[in-house]
Short mmCIF file of all heavy atoms in Angstrom, two decimals:
data_model
loop_
_atom_site.label_atom_id
_atom_site.label_comp_id
_atom_site.label_asym_id
_atom_site.label_seq_id
_atom_site.Cartn_x
_atom_site.Cartn_y
_atom_site.Cartn_z
N HIS A 40 92.14 93.62 96.90
CA HIS A 40 92.99 93.85 95.77
C HIS A 40 93.87 95.04 96.00
O HIS A 40 93.62 95.81 96.94
CB HIS A 40 92.17 93.91 94.47
CG HIS A 40 91.42 95.20 94.29
ND1 HIS A 40 90.13 95.41 94.81
CD2 HIS A 40 91.74 96.35 93.67
CE1 HIS A 40 89.74 96.57 94.48
NE2 HIS A 40 90.69 97.23 93.81
N LEU A 41 94.85 95.22 95.17
CA LEU A 41 95.73 96.39 95.30
C LEU A 41 95.45 97.38 94.18
O LEU A 41 95.15 96.98 93.07
CB LEU A 41 97.18 95.98 95.26
CG LEU A 41 97.69 95.08 96.40
CD1 LEU A 41 99.17 94.78 96.24
CD2 LEU A 41 97.47 95.76 97.74
N GLU A 42 95.64 98.62 94.50
CA GLU A 42 95.64 99.67 93.50
C GLU A 42 96.96 100.36 93.58
O GLU A 42 97.66 100.34 94.59
CB GLU A 42 94.46 100.68 93.64
CG GLU A 42 93.17 100.03 93.30
CD GLU A 42 91.97 100.95 93.27
OE1 GLU A 42 92.10 102.08 93.75
OE2 GLU A 42 90.93 100.50 92.78
N GLN A 44 99.19 103.91 92.83
CA GLN A 44 99.08 105.33 92.52
C GLN A 44 100.44 105.81 92.00
O GLN A 44 101.46 105.69 92.73
CB GLN A 44 98.65 106.14 93.75
CG GLN A 44 98.39 107.59 93.38
CD GLN A 44 97.83 108.40 94.51
OE1 GLN A 44 98.14 108.15 95.68
NE2 GLN A 44 97.00 109.38 94.18
N PRO A 45 100.44 106.40 90.84
CA PRO A 45 101.73 106.90 90.25
C PRO A 45 102.34 108.00 91.04
O PRO A 45 101.59 108.85 91.62
CB PRO A 45 101.26 107.46 88.86
CG PRO A 45 100.00 106.68 88.56
CD PRO A 45 99.35 106.48 89.87
N GLU A 58 102.77 103.69 94.31
CA GLU A 58 102.56 103.18 95.71
C GLU A 58 101.40 102.20 95.67
O GLU A 58 100.36 102.48 95.15
CB GLU A 58 102.20 104.34 96.63
CG GLU A 58 101.92 103.85 98.05
CD GLU A 58 101.57 104.99 99.05
OE1 GLU A 58 101.44 106.16 98.61
OE2 GLU A 58 101.39 104.65 100.22
N ALA A 59 101.64 101.02 96.28
CA ALA A 59 100.59 100.02 96.35
C ALA A 59 99.66 100.37 97.51
O ALA A 59 100.10 100.64 98.61
CB ALA A 59 101.20 98.65 96.61
N LEU A 60 98.37 100.42 97.26
CA LEU A 60 97.37 100.72 98.29
C LEU A 60 96.30 99.64 98.31
O LEU A 60 95.73 99.34 97.24
CB LEU A 60 96.75 102.12 97.99
CG LEU A 60 97.73 103.28 98.10
CD1 LEU A 60 97.19 104.50 97.34
CD2 LEU A 60 97.97 103.65 99.56
N ILE A 61 96.02 99.17 99.47
CA ILE A 61 95.09 98.02 99.57
C ILE A 61 93.63 98.46 99.47
O ILE A 61 93.28 99.58 99.98
CB ILE A 61 95.33 97.17 100.84
CG1 ILE A 61 94.55 95.87 100.76
CG2 ILE A 61 94.97 97.99 102.09
CD1 ILE A 61 94.99 94.83 101.74
N ARG A 62 92.84 97.67 98.85
CA ARG A 62 91.37 97.89 98.73
C ARG A 62 90.67 96.63 99.18
O ARG A 62 91.04 95.52 98.87
CB ARG A 62 90.99 98.19 97.27
CG ARG A 62 91.68 99.45 96.72
CD ARG A 62 91.13 100.67 97.35
NE ARG A 62 91.75 101.92 96.95
CZ ARG A 62 92.63 102.55 97.72
NH1 ARG A 62 93.01 102.10 98.91
NH2 ARG A 62 93.14 103.69 97.28
N ILE A 71 85.50 99.21 101.65
CA ILE A 71 85.77 99.72 103.02
C ILE A 71 87.18 100.38 103.03
O ILE A 71 88.13 99.74 102.50
CB ILE A 71 85.73 98.61 104.06
CG1 ILE A 71 84.29 97.97 104.02
CG2 ILE A 71 86.05 99.11 105.46
CD1 ILE A 71 84.15 96.80 104.92
N SER A 72 87.25 101.56 103.54
CA SER A 72 88.57 102.30 103.54
C SER A 72 89.62 101.63 104.38
O SER A 72 89.36 101.19 105.51
CB SER A 72 88.27 103.70 104.06
OG SER A 72 89.51 104.33 104.35
N PRO A 73 90.88 101.61 103.85
CA PRO A 73 91.95 101.09 104.72
C PRO A 73 92.13 101.87 105.99
O PRO A 73 92.63 101.35 106.99
CB PRO A 73 93.16 101.21 103.79
CG PRO A 73 92.81 102.01 102.65
CD PRO A 73 91.32 102.03 102.57
N GLU A 74 91.73 103.17 105.97
CA GLU A 74 91.85 103.95 107.21
C GLU A 74 90.98 103.31 108.28
O GLU A 74 91.28 103.47 109.51
CB GLU A 74 91.31 105.38 106.98
CG GLU A 74 91.94 106.09 105.83
CD GLU A 74 92.85 107.19 106.19
OE1 GLU A 74 93.42 107.14 107.28
OE2 GLU A 74 93.01 108.14 105.37
N ALA A 75 89.95 102.58 107.91
CA ALA A 75 89.03 101.96 108.89
C ALA A 75 89.53 100.59 109.30
O ALA A 75 89.49 100.25 110.44
CB ALA A 75 87.61 101.87 108.31
N PHE A 76 90.07 99.83 108.35
CA PHE A 76 90.37 98.44 108.74
C PHE A 76 91.84 98.15 109.02
O PHE A 76 92.13 97.20 109.73
CB PHE A 76 89.81 97.44 107.70
CG PHE A 76 90.51 97.39 106.34
CD1 PHE A 76 91.65 96.72 106.20
CD2 PHE A 76 89.90 98.06 105.29
CE1 PHE A 76 92.29 96.65 104.94
CE2 PHE A 76 90.56 98.01 104.02
CZ PHE A 76 91.72 97.34 103.86
N ILE A 77 92.77 98.94 108.52
CA ILE A 77 94.17 98.68 108.78
C ILE A 77 94.46 98.79 110.30
O ILE A 77 95.13 97.93 110.86
CB ILE A 77 95.13 99.60 107.95
CG1 ILE A 77 95.09 99.20 106.51
CG2 ILE A 77 96.53 99.58 108.51
CD1 ILE A 77 95.81 97.89 106.12
N PRO A 78 93.96 99.83 110.97
CA PRO A 78 94.20 99.86 112.43
C PRO A 78 93.66 98.65 113.19
O PRO A 78 94.32 98.12 114.11
CB PRO A 78 93.45 101.14 112.89
CG PRO A 78 93.37 101.96 111.67
CD PRO A 78 93.25 101.03 110.51
N GLU A 81 95.92 95.76 112.49
CA GLU A 81 97.09 95.93 113.32
C GLU A 81 96.87 95.41 114.74
O GLU A 81 97.67 94.65 115.28
CB GLU A 81 97.57 97.37 113.35
CG GLU A 81 98.23 97.76 112.02
CD GLU A 81 98.54 99.27 111.89
OE1 GLU A 81 98.10 100.03 112.77
OE2 GLU A 81 99.18 99.67 110.89
N ILE A 86 97.17 91.87 110.51
CA ILE A 86 98.09 92.55 109.53
C ILE A 86 99.21 91.63 109.14
O ILE A 86 99.80 91.85 108.05
CB ILE A 86 98.63 93.86 110.18
CG1 ILE A 86 99.26 94.78 109.18
CG2 ILE A 86 99.62 93.55 111.30
CD1 ILE A 86 98.33 95.40 108.17
N LEU A 89 97.81 89.55 106.26
CA LEU A 89 97.42 90.55 105.26
C LEU A 89 98.66 91.17 104.65
O LEU A 89 98.73 91.35 103.42
CB LEU A 89 96.52 91.57 105.91
CG LEU A 89 95.82 92.55 104.93
CD1 LEU A 89 94.95 91.79 103.94
CD2 LEU A 89 94.95 93.51 105.77
N GLY A 90 99.63 91.53 105.47
CA GLY A 90 100.84 92.19 105.04
C GLY A 90 101.64 91.25 104.07
O GLY A 90 102.21 91.73 103.10
N TRP A 92 100.28 88.95 102.21
CA TRP A 92 99.50 88.93 100.95
C TRP A 92 99.81 90.16 100.11
O TRP A 92 100.06 90.06 98.91
CB TRP A 92 97.99 88.85 101.26
CG TRP A 92 97.20 88.84 100.02
CD1 TRP A 92 96.90 87.76 99.23
CD2 TRP A 92 96.65 90.00 99.33
NE1 TRP A 92 96.23 88.17 98.12
CE2 TRP A 92 96.04 89.50 98.16
CE3 TRP A 92 96.61 91.36 99.62
CZ2 TRP A 92 95.42 90.39 97.23
CZ3 TRP A 92 96.02 92.24 98.74
CH2 TRP A 92 95.40 91.74 97.55
N ILE A 93 99.82 91.31 100.76
CA ILE A 93 100.14 92.59 100.07
C ILE A 93 101.51 92.54 99.38
O ILE A 93 101.64 92.82 98.17
CB ILE A 93 100.10 93.76 101.04
CG1 ILE A 93 98.66 94.01 101.56
CG2 ILE A 93 100.65 95.06 100.42
CD1 ILE A 93 98.58 94.93 102.78
N LEU A 94 102.49 92.05 100.13
CA LEU A 94 103.85 91.99 99.57
C LEU A 94 103.88 91.07 98.32
O LEU A 94 104.44 91.45 97.30
CB LEU A 94 104.81 91.44 100.66
CG LEU A 94 106.26 91.25 100.24
CD1 LEU A 94 106.91 92.61 99.92
CD2 LEU A 94 107.05 90.53 101.38
N ALA A 114 106.36 101.11 95.76
CA ALA A 114 106.38 101.46 97.15
C ALA A 114 105.36 100.64 97.88
O ALA A 114 104.21 100.59 97.46
CB ALA A 114 106.14 102.92 97.35
N ILE A 115 105.79 99.99 98.97
CA ILE A 115 104.85 99.15 99.76
C ILE A 115 104.83 99.67 101.18
O ILE A 115 105.86 99.93 101.81
CB ILE A 115 105.35 97.68 99.71
CG1 ILE A 115 105.31 97.15 98.30
CG2 ILE A 115 104.50 96.80 100.62
CD1 ILE A 115 106.00 95.81 98.09
N ASN A 116 103.58 99.85 101.71
CA ASN A 116 103.44 100.33 103.11
C ASN A 116 103.58 99.17 104.08
O ASN A 116 103.02 98.09 103.83
CB ASN A 116 102.00 100.88 103.29
CG ASN A 116 101.81 102.18 102.52
OD1 ASN A 116 102.31 103.22 102.90
ND2 ASN A 116 101.13 102.10 101.40
N ILE A 117 104.37 99.36 105.14
CA ILE A 117 104.35 98.33 106.19
C ILE A 117 104.04 98.96 107.56
O ILE A 117 104.38 100.10 107.86
CB ILE A 117 105.61 97.44 106.25
CG1 ILE A 117 106.79 98.18 106.78
CG2 ILE A 117 105.90 96.80 104.87
CD1 ILE A 117 107.85 97.26 107.37
N SER A 118 103.31 98.17 108.34
CA SER A 118 102.93 98.61 109.69
C SER A 118 104.04 98.18 110.69
O SER A 118 104.75 97.21 110.45
CB SER A 118 101.66 97.91 110.12
OG SER A 118 100.60 98.19 109.22
N ALA A 119 104.06 98.93 111.77
CA ALA A 119 105.04 98.64 112.81
C ALA A 119 104.99 97.15 113.21
O ALA A 119 106.04 96.53 113.37
CB ALA A 119 104.74 99.52 114.05
N GLN A 121 104.36 94.59 111.63
CA GLN A 121 104.89 93.65 110.65
C GLN A 121 106.41 93.47 110.75
O GLN A 121 106.95 92.55 110.15
CB GLN A 121 104.60 94.14 109.22
CG GLN A 121 103.21 93.87 108.73
CD GLN A 121 103.00 94.45 107.36
OE1 GLN A 121 102.55 95.57 107.23
NE2 GLN A 121 103.38 93.75 106.30
N GLU A 151 107.44 101.96 102.78
CA GLU A 151 106.98 103.10 103.46
C GLU A 151 106.62 102.78 104.89
O GLU A 151 105.84 101.89 105.12
CB GLU A 151 105.75 103.72 102.73
CG GLU A 151 106.11 104.27 101.38
CD GLU A 151 105.01 105.11 100.77
OE1 GLU A 151 103.98 105.39 101.45
OE2 GLU A 151 105.16 105.52 99.60
N THR A 153 105.76 104.67 108.91
CA THR A 153 105.33 105.94 109.60
C THR A 153 106.18 106.11 110.84
O THR A 153 106.82 105.17 111.36
CB THR A 153 103.84 105.95 109.91
OG1 THR A 153 103.60 104.80 110.75
CG2 THR A 153 103.00 105.89 108.68
N ASP A 181 106.77 108.05 105.77
CA ASP A 181 105.44 108.43 105.37
C ASP A 181 104.80 109.46 106.33
O ASP A 181 105.21 109.49 107.53
CB ASP A 181 104.56 107.22 105.34
CG ASP A 181 103.39 107.31 104.32
OD1 ASP A 181 103.18 108.40 103.77
OD2 ASP A 181 102.77 106.27 104.10
N ASP A 182 103.83 110.22 105.83
CA ASP A 182 103.01 111.11 106.69
C ASP A 182 103.92 112.02 107.52
O ASP A 182 103.55 112.38 108.67
CB ASP A 182 102.14 110.28 107.65
CG ASP A 182 101.16 109.39 106.92
OD1 ASP A 182 101.02 109.58 105.68
OD2 ASP A 182 100.48 108.55 107.57
N LYS A 202 108.11 111.70 102.88
CA LYS A 202 106.83 112.05 102.25
C LYS A 202 106.08 113.03 103.10
O LYS A 202 105.75 112.70 104.24
CB LYS A 202 106.00 110.73 102.04
CG LYS A 202 106.59 109.79 101.05
CD LYS A 202 105.66 108.64 100.74
CE LYS A 202 104.60 108.99 99.72
NZ LYS A 202 103.83 107.78 99.25
N ASP A 204 103.02 114.84 104.51
CA ASP A 204 101.62 114.41 104.62
C ASP A 204 100.71 115.33 103.83
O ASP A 204 100.90 116.54 103.71
CB ASP A 204 101.21 114.43 106.08
CG ASP A 204 99.86 113.74 106.21
OD1 ASP A 204 99.79 112.53 106.02
OD2 ASP A 204 98.86 114.42 106.54
N LYS A 205 99.64 114.74 103.26
CA LYS A 205 98.72 115.49 102.43
C LYS A 205 97.93 116.56 103.17
O LYS A 205 97.48 117.53 102.55
CB LYS A 205 97.76 114.56 101.66
CG LYS A 205 96.89 113.69 102.48
CD LYS A 205 95.95 112.91 101.55
CE LYS A 205 94.97 112.03 102.28
NZ LYS A 205 95.59 110.88 102.93
N ILE A 208 99.66 119.79 102.35
CA ILE A 208 99.49 120.16 100.94
C ILE A 208 98.13 120.81 100.72
O ILE A 208 97.94 121.78 100.01
CB ILE A 208 99.70 119.00 99.98
CG1 ILE A 208 100.98 118.20 100.34
CG2 ILE A 208 99.68 119.41 98.55
CD1 ILE A 208 102.28 118.92 100.24
N GLU A 209 97.14 120.19 101.40
CA GLU A 209 95.73 120.62 101.28
C GLU A 209 95.63 122.12 101.58
O GLU A 209 94.77 122.78 100.98
CB GLU A 209 94.95 119.81 102.32
CG GLU A 209 93.49 119.64 102.10
CD GLU A 209 92.85 118.84 103.22
OE1 GLU A 209 93.53 118.06 103.89
OE2 GLU A 209 91.65 119.02 103.39
N ALA A 237 105.75 114.98 97.80
CA ALA A 237 104.57 115.63 98.30
C ALA A 237 103.36 114.82 97.97
O ALA A 237 103.15 114.45 96.81
CB ALA A 237 104.40 117.04 97.70
N GLU A 238 102.58 114.43 98.94
CA GLU A 238 101.38 113.58 98.65
C GLU A 238 100.10 114.40 98.73
O GLU A 238 100.04 115.42 99.37
CB GLU A 238 101.34 112.34 99.56
CG GLU A 238 101.26 112.58 100.98
CD GLU A 238 101.10 111.30 101.86
OE1 GLU A 238 101.56 110.22 101.42
OE2 GLU A 238 100.52 111.41 102.93
N GLY A 239 99.10 113.93 98.05
CA GLY A 239 97.79 114.64 98.05
C GLY A 239 97.78 115.87 97.17
O GLY A 239 97.07 116.86 97.49
N VAL A 240 98.59 115.87 96.10
CA VAL A 240 98.59 117.03 95.21
C VAL A 240 97.36 116.95 94.31
O VAL A 240 97.26 116.01 93.48
CB VAL A 240 99.92 117.08 94.36
CG1 VAL A 240 99.93 118.29 93.41
CG2 VAL A 240 101.10 117.10 95.29
N GLU A 241 96.45 117.86 94.48
CA GLU A 241 95.17 117.82 93.75
C GLU A 241 94.99 118.92 92.74
O GLU A 241 94.21 118.82 91.81
CB GLU A 241 93.99 117.88 94.73
CG GLU A 241 93.92 116.68 95.67
CD GLU A 241 92.73 116.76 96.55
OE1 GLU A 241 92.00 117.75 96.56
OE2 GLU A 241 92.49 115.73 97.34
N THR A 242 95.72 120.05 92.92
CA THR A 242 95.51 121.17 92.04
C THR A 242 96.84 121.67 91.41
O THR A 242 97.93 121.41 91.94
CB THR A 242 94.90 122.36 92.81
OG1 THR A 242 95.89 122.90 93.73
CG2 THR A 242 93.62 121.96 93.56
N GLN A 245 98.77 123.88 93.76
CA GLN A 245 99.65 123.18 94.69
C GLN A 245 100.90 122.71 93.97
O GLN A 245 102.00 122.81 94.56
CB GLN A 245 98.89 121.94 95.29
CG GLN A 245 97.74 122.38 96.20
CD GLN A 245 96.81 121.21 96.50
OE1 GLN A 245 96.75 120.21 95.77
NE2 GLN A 245 96.03 121.36 97.54
N GLN A 258 102.65 113.21 94.25
CA GLN A 258 101.68 112.08 94.16
C GLN A 258 100.31 112.68 94.50
O GLN A 258 100.18 113.47 95.50
CB GLN A 258 102.06 111.06 95.18
CG GLN A 258 101.17 109.81 95.33
CD GLN A 258 101.66 108.83 96.35
OE1 GLN A 258 102.66 109.07 97.03
NE2 GLN A 258 100.92 107.77 96.51
N GLY A 259 99.29 112.38 93.75
CA GLY A 259 97.97 112.91 94.08
C GLY A 259 97.05 112.84 92.94
O GLY A 259 97.45 112.50 91.78
N TYR A 260 95.79 113.22 93.16
CA TYR A 260 94.76 113.09 92.14
C TYR A 260 95.04 113.94 90.92
O TYR A 260 94.58 113.66 89.81
CB TYR A 260 93.42 113.51 92.75
CG TYR A 260 92.93 112.62 93.90
CD1 TYR A 260 91.88 113.02 94.75
CD2 TYR A 260 93.51 111.34 94.12
CE1 TYR A 260 91.47 112.21 95.78
CE2 TYR A 260 93.06 110.56 95.14
CZ TYR A 260 92.03 111.03 95.96
OH TYR A 260 91.66 110.20 97.04
N LEU A 261 95.82 115.03 91.06
CA LEU A 261 96.16 115.84 89.89
C LEU A 261 96.92 114.96 88.87
O LEU A 261 96.69 115.08 87.65
CB LEU A 261 97.08 116.99 90.30
CG LEU A 261 97.57 117.91 89.13
CD1 LEU A 261 96.46 118.70 88.53
CD2 LEU A 261 98.68 118.86 89.63
N ILE A 262 97.75 114.07 89.33
CA ILE A 262 98.51 113.22 88.43
C ILE A 262 97.67 111.99 88.09
O ILE A 262 97.43 111.71 86.92
CB ILE A 262 99.86 112.80 89.08
CG1 ILE A 262 100.70 114.02 89.37
CG2 ILE A 262 100.65 111.83 88.16
CD1 ILE A 262 100.83 114.36 90.82
N SER A 263 97.22 111.30 89.11
CA SER A 263 96.33 110.19 88.95
C SER A 263 95.77 109.67 90.27
O SER A 263 96.44 109.75 91.28
CB SER A 263 97.06 109.05 88.24
OG SER A 263 96.31 107.85 88.25
N ARG A 264 94.56 109.15 90.24
CA ARG A 264 94.04 108.39 91.37
C ARG A 264 94.77 107.04 91.41
O ARG A 264 95.39 106.67 90.41
CB ARG A 264 92.52 108.17 91.18
CG ARG A 264 91.80 109.47 91.22
CD ARG A 264 90.34 109.24 91.61
NE ARG A 264 89.82 110.58 91.95
CZ ARG A 264 89.30 110.90 93.13
NH1 ARG A 264 89.27 110.05 94.09
NH2 ARG A 264 88.89 112.14 93.36
N PRO A 265 94.66 106.35 92.54
CA PRO A 265 95.17 104.93 92.53
C PRO A 265 94.46 104.14 91.46
O PRO A 265 93.24 104.29 91.31
CB PRO A 265 94.88 104.48 93.91
CG PRO A 265 94.71 105.71 94.76
CD PRO A 265 94.13 106.75 93.86
P1 C2E B 301 98.97 106.61 103.06
O1 C2E B 301 100.02 105.58 103.06
O2 C2E B 301 99.37 107.99 103.56
O3 C2E B 301 98.38 106.68 101.60
C1 C2E B 301 98.02 107.86 100.95
C2 C2E B 301 96.50 108.01 100.94
O4 C2E B 301 96.15 109.24 100.29
C3 C2E B 301 95.78 106.91 100.12
O5 C2E B 301 94.57 106.69 100.81
C4 C2E B 301 95.54 107.60 98.78
O6 C2E B 301 94.52 107.04 98.06
C5 C2E B 301 95.22 109.00 99.28
N1 C2E B 301 95.47 110.01 98.24
C6 C2E B 301 96.37 109.98 97.26
N2 C2E B 301 96.34 111.12 96.53
C7 C2E B 301 95.32 111.90 97.06
C8 C2E B 301 94.80 113.20 96.79
O7 C2E B 301 95.22 113.85 95.87
N3 C2E B 301 93.86 113.66 97.63
C9 C2E B 301 93.36 112.94 98.69
N4 C2E B 301 92.40 113.42 99.40
N5 C2E B 301 93.85 111.69 98.96
C10 C2E B 301 94.81 111.21 98.18
P2 C2E B 301 94.03 105.20 101.06
O8 C2E B 301 94.37 104.33 99.87
O9 C2E B 301 92.61 105.30 101.46
O10 C2E B 301 94.92 104.69 102.24
C11 C2E B 301 94.82 105.26 103.51
C12 C2E B 301 95.87 104.76 104.43
O11 C2E B 301 95.67 103.38 104.70
C13 C2E B 301 97.29 104.85 103.86
O12 C2E B 301 97.74 106.16 103.96
C14 C2E B 301 97.99 103.83 104.72
O13 C2E B 301 98.29 104.44 105.98
C15 C2E B 301 96.95 102.78 104.89
N6 C2E B 301 97.20 101.70 103.83
C16 C2E B 301 96.77 101.70 102.59
N7 C2E B 301 97.19 100.58 101.95
C17 C2E B 301 98.03 99.94 102.87
C18 C2E B 301 98.79 98.70 102.84
O14 C2E B 301 98.91 98.02 101.79
N8 C2E B 301 99.48 98.36 103.99
C19 C2E B 301 99.42 99.14 105.09
N9 C2E B 301 100.09 98.74 106.21
N10 C2E B 301 98.69 100.30 105.16
C20 C2E B 301 98.00 100.66 104.03
#
Side-chain angles (χ1 to χ4, degrees):
H40 73 272
L41 295 181
E42 288 187 349
Q44 188 175 33
E58 177 180 5
L60 294 159
I61 192 164
R62 299 290 175 256
I71 300 175
S72 164
E74 309 250 26
F76 70 80
I77 290 287
E81 285 170 352
I86 194 69
L89 192 57
W92 179 84
I93 292 166
L94 178 66
I115 299 170
N116 292 285
I117 72 156
S118 301
Q121 279 176 267
E151 294 193 5
T153 56
D181 206 351
D182 299 350
K202 294 187 83 170
D204 191 67
K205 61 176 181 289
I208 311 298
E209 203 180 338
E238 61 176 27
V240 180
E241 293 182 356
T242 68
Q245 291 166 340
Q258 177 181 2
Y260 298 163
L261 177 68
I262 300 108
S263 170
R264 294 203 166 241

